Each structure stands twice: as C-alpha cells, then as structure tokens.
Amino acid sequence: MRIGELAARAGVSVRSLRYYEEQGLLSSTRSASGQRHYTEHHVERVTFLQRMYAAGLSSRTISELLPCVDAPSEETSDAALERMAEERDRLSEHIEDLIRTREALDTLMATNRAHRSRLKSAATS
C-alpha cells in the first residue's frame, strides 16, 4: 500500500508517517519512481507508535525500545524494561508537579472567591 492508504488506515497524517521514517521508527520499500510502499504489518507498527506517543514517550525513547519489539531477547528485554522504568519515574515526577500546580491554582481560586465574597458583602452593606 502507498503512504496515503497507510495514513488513512492507521488514522494518522502522511506527515506523521514521514516523520516516523525520519526518526528511524518506520521503514518502507521504494518503487522505481521513489514512492513509498508499506505492508499490512506497517499498520500495526504505526498503531504501536501512536500508543507510545500517547503514553508520553519521545521519539528517542521509542527508538530505544524498538529493539525489544523488533528482535526480542533477554538483553533487549532487560534494556527495554530499564528504559521504561526510567520513563515511568519521569512521568511520576511530572504528575507530582502537575498535582502541586493544581493545588496552587485551587488555593488561588479559593482566595479569589473569598475576595469576591467580601466585595459583594461590602457592596450590599
């Protein structure tokens, strides 16, 4: 299948597919005229890549994990598990930062509500 069909079937843009190739996450064969051609396997690959991006992983991290997907072995599995643990720790730190930010915003909102309540009370007095 050609790049447009893969994009449609995987639910991504053609631009995304080209980006995945630039990053070494996806490969294609080329016709004599230079058109990219893909197989059914590539639909699954793109879906997998989308799940990794949705999980917050970068292209670089995904690239580091792909050897475990493409050629599973004890070595690649151990390396992938270690890398995923690092990513999980990074995401946990980010979540903690977001929680602190939300708590600060909650405090500001409560202060604002109290201030507005005082203003309304002063206006009706």
Side-chain angles (χ1 to χ4, degrees):
M1 75 185 83
R2 292 176 33 190
I3 194 167
E5 183 180 349
L6 175 60
R9 294 200 41 215
V12 300
S13 67
V14 168
R15 183 175 180 213
S16 292
L17 297 177
R18 288 186 181 122
Y19 175 77
Y20 298 161
E21 282 201 40
E22 289 171 11
Q23 298 301 308
L25 305 175
L26 184 69
S27 62
S28 63
T29 57
R30 298 283 184 136
S31 69
S33 62
Q35 292 181 328
R36 293 172 171 91
H37 289 276
Y38 302 92
T39 65
E40 194 65 34
H41 166 75
H42 290 100
V43 177
E44 295 171 21
R45 176 68 160 226
V46 172
T47 301
F48 171 78
L49 294 173
Q50 287 293 292
R51 285 197 314 266
M52 296 299 99
Y53 280 115
L57 303 181
S58 67
S59 296
R60 182 177 182 187
T61 300
I62 295 168
S63 179
E64 292 172 15
L65 297 175
L66 285 178
C68 182
V69 174
D70 295 336
S73 68
E74 188 172 334
E75 181 181 332
T76 61
S77 180
D78 289 345
L81 184 59
E82 183 178 321
R83 188 64 179 105
M84 287 185 284
E86 291 171 3
E87 278 302 303
R88 187 180 189 288
D89 291 345
R90 183 188 66 78
L91 288 171
S92 293
E93 287 177 22
H94 185 63
I95 289 167
E96 290 168 10
D97 287 343
L98 287 171
I99 289 169
R100 282 191 295 276
T101 301
R102 183 184 63 197
E103 289 169 351
L105 184 57
D106 287 345
T107 300
L108 286 171
M109 291 170 65
T111 301
N112 181 275
R113 286 184 185 110
H115 177 71
R116 290 181 64 193
S117 179
R118 283 191 302 275
L119 289 175
K120 286 181 183 179
S121 295
T124 59
S125 298

